[in-house]
Amino acid sequence: MEAQHNEAALAGPAPRLDLSLAGPETTWLRAYFDAVRRAQKRTDLALRVAVEVEIVRPDGWVAFPADLGELEAISISLAGVPLPAGLTPPERVRGLIRAGELRASEVTELVVDATVNAVERGSRYAPTQLARPLGVLAALGIDEAELDEHAIRRLVDACRTARVVVEVSEAWRTPSLRLARALAAAGVPLVAASDTADASQLGRWRYVRAVQGVVDWVSGGTPR
């Protein structure tokens, strides 16, 4: 895609996902659905009803809300490490690594396995985007460069096979340039994501443009 087309895809009017984190205990979905439907009548933007859901188990189980009926898209993310005992915050996992109860290599394998499994599982239910891929590794103090090419290829292949769109996060600076190159080379669609709650930061693309500079941008997702 030519550079000017990339600029238009990122900066011009485009469909957007209206995303909020949801789970099995979420009680506000009906009000949320209604609010988005009302907004659709008052804007020229093409709005879709979507939520962000977390990966919570090593097998890729995603904490879906009870009612998926009106969702038009989902964005899946991993904010902790899905240990057998449950989803564990990064700071707790760092402590386990320091204490010798876990090895960093075991943790990275868990993160990759859970993400791959979630991509395959989530895409069965709704059009799916992968948010902040492997971003939890930075929170764990683990350099993504420690991942071998086989792990990167597994994730890329899963995204391509499941037709999942990958979000390029401005705030989290994910995926890494290495992973972004591999995704783009495999034809996986990439889409800009601000990941900010500050309206003044919307559309201020710095990391996203850095990614554009090193990959052939593959359009097809929904900027948010």
Side-chain angles (χ1 to χ4, degrees), residues 117-214:
N117 292 336
V119 162
E120 295 168 346
R121 184 187 294 272
S123 61
R124 302 172 193 167
Y125 299 96
T128 300
Q129 296 188 180
L130 176 60
R132 304 179 291 282
L134 304 182
V136 71
L137 293 180
L140 292 164
I142 298 173
D143 190 341
E144 187 195 299
E146 296 179 25
L147 286 180
D148 60 25
E149 286 303 317
H150 175 68
I152 295 293
R153 178 50 52 191
R154 284 187 61 216
L155 180 54
V156 169
D157 288 347
C159 291
R160 184 185 65 239
T161 301
R163 298 183 179 180
V164 164
V165 174
V166 173
E167 299 177 7
V168 178
S169 173
E170 180 65 33
W172 286 74
R173 299 175 65 84
T174 59
S176 66
L177 297 183
R178 173 196 183 194
L179 179 54
R181 287 190 191 98
L183 290 163
V188 175
L190 304 175
V191 61
S194 63
D195 275 320
T196 181
D198 182 353
S200 69
Q201 296 303 308
L202 293 175
R204 295 179 180 270
W205 308 117
R206 288 175 287 272
Y207 183 69
V208 167
R209 295 197 190 284
V211 171
Q212 277 188 287
V214 297

Side-chain angles (χ1 to χ4, degrees), residues 13-208:
R16 297 182 63 82
L17 288 178
D18 189 348
L19 288 179
S20 296
L21 188 63
E25 307 303 320
T26 297
T27 59
W28 43 259
L29 276 181
R30 171 48 52 196
Y32 171 68
F33 292 156
D34 292 343
V36 175
R37 298 302 184 205
R38 289 193 298 271
Q40 288 172 331
K41 300 175 182 178
R42 302 194 301 268
T43 179
D44 292 331
L45 291 175
L47 298 176
R48 288 195 295 163
V49 179
V51 293
E52 182 172 317
V53 291
E54 286 192 295
I55 305 166
V56 294
R57 290 197 331 218
D59 64 357
W61 184 263
V62 176
F64 284 120
D67 181 10
L68 297 175
E70 294 191 49
L71 287 176
E72 297 169 311
I74 58 172
S75 181
I76 58 176
S77 63
L78 181 60
V81 178
L83 298 176
L87 189 64
T88 307
E91 57 272 19
R92 169 63 178 153
V93 176
R94 287 199 305 269
L96 294 173
I97 293 173
R98 286 194 298 269
E101 297 180 44
L102 279 175
R103 295 194 302 271
S105 59
E106 293 175 320
V107 173
T108 55
E109 185 175 357
L110 275 169
V111 167
V112 172
D113 286 349
T115 304
V116 167
N117 292 336
V119 162
E120 295 168 346
R121 184 187 294 272
S123 61
R124 302 172 193 167
Y125 299 96
T128 300
Q129 296 188 180
L130 176 60
R132 304 179 291 282
L134 304 182
V136 71
L137 293 180
L140 292 164
I142 298 173
D143 190 341
E144 187 195 299
E146 296 179 25
L147 286 180
D148 60 25
E149 286 303 317
H150 175 68
I152 295 293
R153 178 50 52 191
R154 284 187 61 216
L155 180 54
V156 169
D157 288 347
C159 291
R160 184 185 65 239
T161 301
R163 298 183 179 180
V164 164
V165 174
V166 173
E167 299 177 7
V168 178
S169 173
E170 180 65 33
W172 286 74
R173 299 175 65 84
T174 59
S176 66
L177 297 183
R178 173 196 183 194
L179 179 54
R181 287 190 191 98
L183 290 163
V188 175
L190 304 175
V191 61
S194 63
D195 275 320
T196 181
D198 182 353
S200 69
Q201 296 303 308
L202 293 175
R204 295 179 180 270
W205 308 117
R206 288 175 287 272
Y207 183 69
V208 167

